Amino acid sequence: MALFLAAAKPRILQSKPTKTIKAWCWYDWANSSYSLVITSAIFPSYFLSLTTSGTQPAWWQSIGNSVLYAYLYSLASLMILLLSPLFGSIADYAGNKKKFMRLFSYTGAISCAGLFFATGESMVLTGALFLVSSTCYSLGVVFYNAYLPEIAAPADYDSVSAKGFAWGYLGGLLALILCLVLIRFAEPLGFPRDSIASALPVRITFVLIGGWWWLFAAYAFKGLPPDSNTQPITRTIIAQSYVRIGTAFRQARGHRIIGLFLLAFFFYNMGVTTIMGMSSVFATKTLHLTTEHLIGVILALQVLAIAGSWLFVEVANRYNNIMAVRIALILWVVICGIGYSVQNLTQFYGMASLVGLVMGGTQALSRSAFATLIQGEQHEYATWFSVYDVLDKVGVVAGTFLFGWIEWLTGSMRASVATLSIFFITGLIILLSIKSPWKK
């Protein structure tokens, strides 16, 4: 399995037609509604309200609602960690990425809609639906990412990757606005006061997001390239899936630039994903932000993320991918410092604005940089992006667990935020060791 070297021949010299790239972006539009509304904006606050109602068993109360959510989020990431290598390898061998994207998208959308039944009396069901929907969301992203080197030429990786994230931020933004209107104007829309008090409008937003995910994903699938060389899935393929991931890790370790990049990605992405997953819990519990305030912040953050994606592409065009990510990591360290000391809403708005500017660029350029490195691996993109996703999810498991454990240990979520700066600094130091010029 030869890894990409400077002299390696790219798989494609020209990007696929605009229609195909737009279809790929529509998938990000579809599933980003889940990432924003369920993972970041509405569900975390709703979950905290369930676990403070006094109807749960005592051991949940003794753990603490935010710690419980961190552990649940970590468990979902652990499930993804165990499953993504299996399905990525199967998709490469069987040639059916699109089939698996459909399976996980539709299953995730249904389980997301099922969160309508999440109440304080059904916490086991609530946790199970969250685990299934989160797992399906992330497994779909593995195959979605693997399409990038198939639909875009190497020279277009940065711009196409950023375009996908920008569409996702915009789609998530519009979905969140619809949810906000439903919650904010529930009474004028005809909801009885007792149903509003029981959070019926909030639970309906979970159904709305499930429908949004299903509808736009189905539209995206129509324009994505069809599966090729579809082969039956055998026991041998399943048995070899984790072996192939192990082989990929060993070969990445033998290639200095790839190995260093993946190691740096592991550390700094641990900080990025933890902040994105736990920021709303931090704002709700530490700063006592209301759901409406929080949603307003997230709406502004999405707009800034769209601008930030393109801003960092310009930095990459002027310098290179590595330099752009280094700059982003310095800003992430600043964000952790602000988060540790933030005391009021104005300071939180400033911190959130900075998060919005850097998160899109960090994610888009990390993905495009990795696609550049593996462009010689024509038939194993899903496997390689499973490696990428494994490191992502190991980071989420470790980061969110550590975040919750430090809060439990110190009694302060601020201490958890400060700890995240270590991940960004470590990633930055590793990236600084990559001396070779690295252009897109």
Side-chain angles (χ1 to χ4, degrees):
M1 188 188 297
L3 290 173
F4 169 73
L5 298 174
K9 181 180 179 181
R11 186 183 183 205
I12 59 175
L13 298 178
Q14 292 183 337
S15 296
K16 295 289 187 181
T18 303
K19 181 179 180 181
T20 301
I21 292 176
K22 284 185 176 179
W24 184 75
C25 293
W26 274 116
Y27 186 80
D28 211 324
W29 175 291
N31 72 352
S32 290
S33 62
Y34 177 89
S35 176
L36 181 60
V37 174
I38 304 300
T39 304
S40 300
I42 296 178
F43 181 75
S45 297
Y46 178 68
F47 183 87
L48 296 188
S49 72
L50 294 183
T51 52
T52 55
S53 63
T55 60
Q56 293 74 244
W59 67 270
W60 286 350
Q61 293 290 329
S62 64
I63 290 177
N65 50 16
S66 57
V67 176
L68 176 60
Y69 181 80
Y71 287 170
L72 186 63
Y73 194 87
S74 181
L75 178 58
S77 300
L78 180 61
M79 292 175 61
I80 298 160
L81 167 64
L82 296 174
L83 294 175
S84 63
L86 172 64
F87 286 104
S89 181
I90 289 174
D92 275 334
Y93 263 123
N96 49 14
K97 288 192 291 292
K98 194 172 181 179
K99 177 180 178 181
F100 280 111
M101 282 180 71
R102 280 198 179 100
L103 171 65
F104 293 124
S105 296
Y106 296 156
T107 303
I110 292 171
S111 55
C112 175
L115 288 172
F116 174 84
F117 300 103
T119 65
E121 290 73 32
S122 59
M123 290 301 296
V124 173
L125 175 64
T126 300
L129 290 171
F130 178 74
L131 289 175
V132 172
S133 59
S134 295
T135 302
C136 288
Y137 164 80
S138 292
L139 289 176
V141 170
V142 172
F143 304 112
Y144 165 74
N145 285 339
Y147 270 108
L148 178 60
E150 292 189 15
I151 66 173
D156 296 330
Y157 284 167
D158 286 346
S159 60
V160 172
S161 181
K163 185 176 182 179
F165 273 106
W167 278 50
Y169 289 134
L170 181 58
L173 175 66
L174 294 178
L176 181 57
I177 290 174
L178 289 177
C179 294
L180 178 60
V181 169
L182 180 61
I183 295 171
R184 179 66 180 81
F185 300 102
E187 190 169 352
L189 289 173
F191 285 88
R193 290 187 177 181
D194 59 341
S195 68
I196 296 175
S198 64
L200 177 62
V202 174
R203 292 188 288 123
I204 289 178
T205 64
F206 304 150
V207 179
L208 174 64
I209 294 305
W212 179 287
W213 186 359
W214 181 297
L215 176 65
F216 288 109
Y219 183 76
F221 294 143
K222 293 181 179 181
L224 286 173
D227 290 332
S228 59
N229 302 320
T230 301
Q231 301 294 329
I233 300 173
T234 64
R235 292 183 180 179
T236 301
I237 291 176
I238 295 174
Q240 291 179 346
S241 60
Y242 293 99
V243 175
R244 296 178 70 211
I245 289 293
T247 301
F249 269 112
R250 286 192 297 272
Q251 293 207 246
R253 196 168 60 240
H255 189 290
R256 183 176 182 275
I257 293 180
I258 290 180
L260 287 174
F261 174 79
L262 287 176
L263 184 61
F265 172 78
F266 167 72
F267 281 105
Y268 73 71
N269 191 64
M270 191 187 310
V272 173
T273 54
T274 302
I275 287 176
M276 294 177 64
M278 300 303 298
S279 58
S280 59
V281 176
F282 172 78
T284 300
K285 187 170 183 179
T286 303
L287 301 177
H288 308 293
L289 264 66
T290 64
T291 300
E292 291 184 6
H293 271 136
L294 186 58
I295 292 177
V297 171
I298 292 175
L299 288 173
L301 187 147
Q302 294 299 107
V303 175
L304 289 169
I306 296 171
S309 296
W310 294 111
L311 174 63
F312 275 90
V313 167
E314 291 302 314
V315 175
N317 288 337
R318 184 168 182 177
Y319 300 102
N320 53 61
N321 285 324
I322 289 295
M323 181 58 71
V325 176
R326 287 171 181 166
I327 293 171
L329 296 186
I330 293 172
L331 294 176
W332 279 114
V333 175
V334 173
I335 288 168
C336 290
I338 298 173
Y340 177 76
S341 59
V342 63
Q343 298 292 334
N344 55 53
L345 194 59
T346 302
Q347 293 173 345
F348 180 76
Y349 284 159
M351 181 185 68
S353 298
L354 192 55
V355 169
L357 285 174
V358 297
M359 73 176 186
T362 306
Q363 292 177 308
L365 292 179
S366 296
R367 180 171 65 186
S368 62
F370 188 66
T372 300
L373 289 175
I374 65 167
Q375 63 180 280
E377 299 301 309
Q378 300 182 8
H379 305 296
E380 298 189 339
Y381 289 145
T383 295
W384 276 103
F385 270 103
S386 290
V387 172
Y388 185 85
D389 196 62
V390 163
L391 290 174
D392 174 40
K393 294 307 176 290
V394 169
V396 175
V397 172
T400 53
F401 181 85
L402 185 62
F403 191 94
W405 180 74
I406 290 176
E407 184 198 352
W408 174 81
L409 189 67
T410 64
S412 170
M413 203 177 291
R414 295 181 187 275
S416 299
V417 173
T419 303
L420 297 180
S421 63
I422 298 174
F423 303 147
F424 294 116
I425 293 171
T426 303
L428 177 60
I429 292 172
I430 296 172
L431 286 185
L432 288 172
S433 69
I434 300 178
K435 304 298 183 182
S436 302
W438 189 359
K439 216 41 188 163
K440 328 172 267 161

